[in-house]
Amino acid sequence: MVSYFPVTGVDLKITNKCMLSCDFCVNSDGLKNTAFANIDQLKSAIHELLTSPRELVVLNAIYFTGGETLYGLDIINNIIGDIPDSIFTSVVTNGLMLNKNTIKKLSELNLSRVKVSYDTTDSDLLLDIRKGMRASGLTKIEGNILNSVQAGLLVCLRVALTKRNAHNLINIYKRAVELGVDTLQIKPVISSGRAYDNNELVLSPDELQKLFYALSAIYDENKVEVSVSCFPPANNMNFSVKNCANRDKLYMDVNGDIFTCNYVMGAFNYLGNYLHPSGINEALNNRLTRFQELFNGDGVIRNCPSIKNYEVLGP
């Protein structure tokens, strides 16, 4: 039995809209479903989170997600004033829209971090992974990352680690150092979204163990911090590790639905809908009531495919 822990962060989905179709994405409809969240309803939800009982939520982070989140930059601009400065704010992007005008706007919004999806140093592989990408895509993304760093933004590169880009992990790390980013966040793709039950994408615990040991051999935390999610054995390798990246979060979808996690959405993980009156309060109380049902003894969502990664393997 795991002791109760309150919600401390929220993944707030701004839009489903995206210009790409990545083969591992948890969103399956970004090219067709271009819905955006409603500003007034987001403001109301944020207010309810900030005023909820502290035994249920101690909000210290809001992560704006998509789709391609930068399509909804005007929405973020309209709600950022409702968020106290003490709360960590982050926006995730595929990097294509991170041009100089957008960088200027992000700097003015005073966001805590910009997280850029960066899955390979191989331009041909990137074209194959991210359907809809142009041949110059990698060069454009890296240029936008450099401009962001030079503008003083705190930049994190996020790697969705699969069998397709696993061989490139060392080069990704080296490139992160060259780009001067603050953090390289590595998230092994699990069996969800477009990667559901896809043995050609999802790495086994043994494969992950070997990859992270190889990376740890050259890792220098003074050059770039490496953060690993959903693979606890990496705790033995001097990386910053989140055993479960979403254990103390809520995931809030564009349509208002609230889940424990965007990787394991479904009836079991459904908590409520923030568009309903007192929807946030309902979701928080459902999480409290169902806590032992939702989380196992390690504090991991019970039906998450990454549970298999909790097996500690030898080097």
Side-chain angles (χ1 to χ4, degrees):
M1 181 177 293
V2 62
S3 298
Y4 176 80
F5 44 83
V7 170
T8 62
V10 175
D11 284 326
L12 198 57
K13 193 172 186 182
I14 299 300
T15 181
N16 289 316
K17 185 176 180 180
C18 187
M19 74 289 284
L20 301 177
S21 179
C22 301
D23 59 13
F24 50 78
C25 188
V26 294
N27 302 307
S28 59
D29 55 359
L31 296 176
K32 296 180 181 179
N33 183 349
T34 58
F36 286 83
N38 179 277
I39 292 173
D40 290 336
Q41 291 165 336
L42 286 176
K43 284 174 171 281
S44 177
I46 290 170
H47 175 75
E48 196 170 349
L49 283 165
L50 291 171
T51 56
S52 293
R54 290 184 65 82
E55 62 266 26
L56 298 179
V57 55
V58 183
L59 192 64
N60 58 33
I62 295 178
Y63 309 93
F64 298 110
T65 71
E68 171 46 53
T69 317
L70 294 182
Y71 276 129
L73 191 55
D74 287 343
I75 294 176
I76 298 174
N77 183 56
N78 273 280
I79 65 176
I80 197 73
D82 292 58
I83 302 172
D85 292 340
S86 58
I87 291 181
F88 183 92
T89 51
S90 173
V91 61
V92 63
T93 172
N94 60 37
L96 289 173
M97 296 179 66
L98 200 59
N99 55 45
K100 291 186 177 180
N101 288 334
T102 302
I103 292 169
K104 183 175 182 293
K105 290 180 181 178
L106 290 172
S107 298
E108 292 169 350
L109 290 175
N110 199 29
L111 292 169
S112 307
R113 182 184 68 190
V114 176
K115 185 186 292 187
V116 184
S117 296
Y118 187 89
D119 299 308
T120 180
T121 61
D122 184 328
S123 58
D124 290 333
L125 178 58
L126 187 64
L127 287 173
D128 198 30
I129 291 175
R130 299 188 183 183
K131 307 299 188 294
M133 180 77 71
R134 294 183 179 179
S136 59
L138 181 59
T139 300
K140 182 176 183 179
I141 291 169
E142 290 190 344
N144 290 344
I145 292 169
L146 280 170
N147 288 334
S148 298
V149 171
Q150 291 167 2
L153 292 176
L154 188 67
V155 179
C156 166
L157 299 190
R158 183 184 186 279
V159 181
L161 189 61
T162 72
K163 288 184 178 180
R164 303 193 65 191
N165 63 351
H167 68 282
N168 197 220
L169 183 58
I170 298 297
N171 285 338
I172 291 173
Y173 165 76
K174 292 178 178 179
R175 190 62 178 137
V177 172
E178 293 170 352
L179 291 169
V181 301
D182 181 73
T183 308
L184 179 67
Q185 183 185 83
I186 305 170
K187 170 72 171 69
V189 166
I190 63 175
S191 181
S192 67
R194 293 190 186 126
Y196 179 74
D197 204 24
N198 189 336
N199 292 327
E200 294 182 2
L201 287 178
V202 180
L203 291 154
S204 70
D206 185 51
E207 289 171 319
L208 289 170
Q209 184 84 329
K210 292 175 181 176
L211 285 167
F212 286 126
Y213 266 116
L215 179 58
S216 69
I218 65 166
Y219 174 47
D220 184 345
E221 61 184 7
N222 295 314
K223 293 182 177 179
V224 63
E225 178 186 357
V226 171
S227 169
V228 177
S229 300
C230 306
F231 190 69
N235 280 292
N236 301 322
M237 306 174 200
N238 298 319
F239 302 131
S240 172
V241 180
K242 290 183 178 180
N243 290 352
C244 177
N246 296 301
R247 67 189 301 268
D248 55 355
K249 287 187 190 178
L250 294 179
Y251 171 73
M252 297 165 57
D253 209 343
V254 171
N255 65 3
D257 286 341
I258 303 173
F259 298 90
T260 55
C261 176
N262 62 325
Y263 287 94
V264 284
M265 292 163 61
F268 177 78
N269 297 290
Y270 177 78
L271 297 174
N273 188 295
Y274 72 80
L275 304 187
H276 299 165
S278 301
I280 294 291
N281 186 60
E282 175 190 353
L284 291 171
N285 279 293
N286 281 341
R287 182 177 181 271
L288 175 63
T289 302
R290 298 182 54 216
F291 195 80
Q292 300 302 330
E293 174 191 358
L294 289 167
F295 297 93
N296 68 11
D298 294 312
V300 180
I301 300 165
R302 288 188 183 275
N303 64 340
C304 179
S306 72
I307 284 178
K308 66 181 181 180
N309 292 337
Y310 275 67
E311 178 185 358
V312 179
L313 309 175

